[in-house]
Amino acid sequence: MEFARVCPFCAEALDPQDVFCEACGRNLASAEARGEQPAPAGTPAGPAAEAGPPAGGCVQCGAPQVSADGYCEACGAAQPRPRDHVERELSGVAAVSDRGVRHHRNEDSFAVAATSLPDGRSAQVAVVCDGVSSAARPDEASQTAADNASEALLTALEHGVAPEPAMRQAILTAAAAVAELGRTGRPEVGRNSPACTFVGAVAAGGVVTVGWVGDSRAYWVPDERGAEPYRLTEDDSWASGMVAAGLMSEAEAYADARAHAITGWLGADADDVEPHTVAFTPHVPGVLVICTDGLWNYAEAATDLADLVRPDARQDPLRAARTLVSFAVAAGGHDNITVAVLPVLPDPAAGYTETALDLPVLQNPHQAAPASVAAPAAPAAPPVPPLPPLPPRPPLPPR
């Protein structure tokens, strides 16, 4: 049997004549001659990576000649980039982003923040964005969206805007900022304008509000593992559109090569951006996990992902986020991976019980929000209704 040649550092497929890996830039001849084995892909980059190449030069061979694009001119090794692995924790909310194994750069971005509402209560914010690889400058798109949305959310919440309209406006603000990248930057032949997906969350006053466009997701995972976890978002994707339109069964749609082509995104090439929002009131402690498809591709069902969440996630959200990212890297790391973990406690001032969980209530921007429904007296919660279907939209090429 003939085996394909792959890079010993990043597992990228190689041609027989390759001397340097086009994905990670490593010198294949010298590595094979020395019999070196790579460090596990996705390992936290550490202080050296956060600060860029060390003052002494190449981190692989020590040569001082490192080009402006981040490759050693002596051995060809790619130098660590600040975004290869990023971790952040602030006021109880934490996020971790990793380049993964197969991609040459990290095109995901996130923002975590906290503020105070006008009545003095605290609010935690997390935003995760996934750059569309088939578009130009996807890393810039995701960073621009995360930064602008986070700032818009904090400003609105501090001025007393309710979380749901604040989330909708933040998504539209991020969409406008990403669209501006496409109008002002240098065009790239054969590529769409910068684009990204979006998912964000606000926890304030005992209510969790989630907003999204695209296929980045949010999951609710209760502390008590006997309680049922939920996926709170519905993908803007080709497969979801086909199922919603009744043109395919779920099994047929997700078996198609176009299944993960997104039909909703932020960017100049997007149609009218339609933010989706969902708000719910947890009656038990737990965590909200928001993530890119680099994680959920390996654990799509809410029950599967909940099994991976550490029991102490609410007490140590950064460690929980690290664990989920490490799982995705070990499972193959075929995409960038970004995970934010937002601990949530019930609001005792609202008189909530410790035994029931309100079902998600979708907020339709064209209708008034339904009145809250008291938790049922019976110990068993009613079954979760299916989320309403999203209309199909013209897809971007698969990422």
Side-chain angles (χ1 to χ4, degrees):
M1 177 183 295
E2 185 176 342
F3 292 91
R5 186 181 178 216
V6 298
C7 173
F9 293 98
C10 71
E12 181 72 14
L14 302 170
D15 292 329
Q17 69 274 15
D18 284 347
V19 176
F20 293 94
C21 175
E22 293 184 1
C24 70
R26 298 294 183 89
N27 186 326
L28 303 170
S30 60
E32 291 167 356
R34 292 191 301 266
E36 290 184 352
Q37 296 297 320
T43 300
E50 289 295 336
C58 174
V59 297
Q60 183 71 15
C61 72
Q65 300 88 6
V66 176
S67 64
D69 61 355
Y71 289 87
C72 175
E73 295 180 355
C75 72
Q79 304 304 295
R81 302 176 184 180
R83 285 178 64 168
D84 282 356
H85 186 93
V86 184
E87 299 185 356
R88 194 163 300 137
E89 183 174 22
L90 180 66
S91 299
V93 56
V96 176
S97 184
D98 193 272
R99 178 174 60 87
V101 175
R102 304 287 290 187
H103 278 226
H104 70 285
R105 66 181 173 187
N106 190 355
E107 297 167 357
D108 289 356
S109 296
F110 69 81
V112 293
T115 190
S116 295
L117 304 179
D119 61 8
R121 292 179 300 172
S122 64
Q124 287 74 41
V125 171
V127 172
V128 167
C129 299
D130 183 357
V132 177
S133 296
S134 60
R137 292 147 45 214
D139 51 339
E140 291 183 40
S142 64
Q143 189 70 63
T144 297
D147 290 346
N148 279 270
S150 175
E151 185 63 30
L153 274 171
L154 293 175
T155 301
L157 293 170
E158 290 164 0
H159 284 80
V161 180
E164 192 273 337
M167 178 64 74
R168 285 183 53 78
Q169 187 55 51
I171 294 175
L172 294 175
T173 298
V178 177
E180 187 64 19
L181 287 178
R183 288 189 285 268
T184 58
R186 186 182 69 228
E188 297 184 23
V189 178
R191 307 195 81 182
N192 295 316
S193 296
C196 68
T197 68
F198 177 97
V199 63
V202 175
V207 178
V208 176
T209 303
V210 176
W212 76 98
V213 174
D215 64 352
S216 295
R217 292 183 176 182
Y219 294 85
W220 165 248
V221 181
D223 283 359
E224 175 53 57
R225 295 310 157 88
E228 186 174 0
Y230 298 103
R231 174 159 69 93
L232 302 173
T233 54
E234 182 74 17
D235 298 342
D236 285 322
S237 69
W238 183 90
S240 292
M242 292 300 102
V243 174
L247 300 176
M248 285 185 171
S249 69
E250 187 171 358
E252 291 171 334
Y254 280 95
D256 193 284
R258 298 165 289 181
H260 292 284
I262 57 173
T263 56
W265 62 90
L266 309 185
D269 293 335
D271 295 330
D272 292 338
V273 174
E274 183 61 38
H276 312 292
T277 58
V278 61
F280 78 106
T281 305
H283 288 195
V284 294
V287 294
L288 191 75
V289 176
I290 64 174
C291 61
T292 60
D293 59 350
L295 172 63
W296 66 254
N297 273 333
Y298 299 109
E300 183 171 357
T303 50
D304 293 338
L305 187 134
D307 288 341
L308 301 170
V309 174
R310 295 178 57 87
D312 62 351
R314 188 165 52 82
Q315 292 76 26
D316 194 348
L318 180 58
R319 192 175 182 186
R322 287 172 178 162
T323 299
L324 291 169
V325 168
S326 296
F327 158 77
V329 171
H334 281 69
D335 202 350
N336 306 144
I337 308 127
T338 301
V339 179
V341 177
L342 200 161
V344 180
L345 278 171
D347 183 0
Y352 297 146
T353 69
E354 295 282 333
T355 58
L357 173 72
D358 280 351
L359 298 177
V361 178
L362 288 177
Q363 303 291 332
N364 187 326
H366 305 298
Q367 297 176 359
S372 9
V373 180
V384 183
L387 292 170
L390 301 171
R393 296 158 83 175
L396 279 176
R399 289 185 294 119

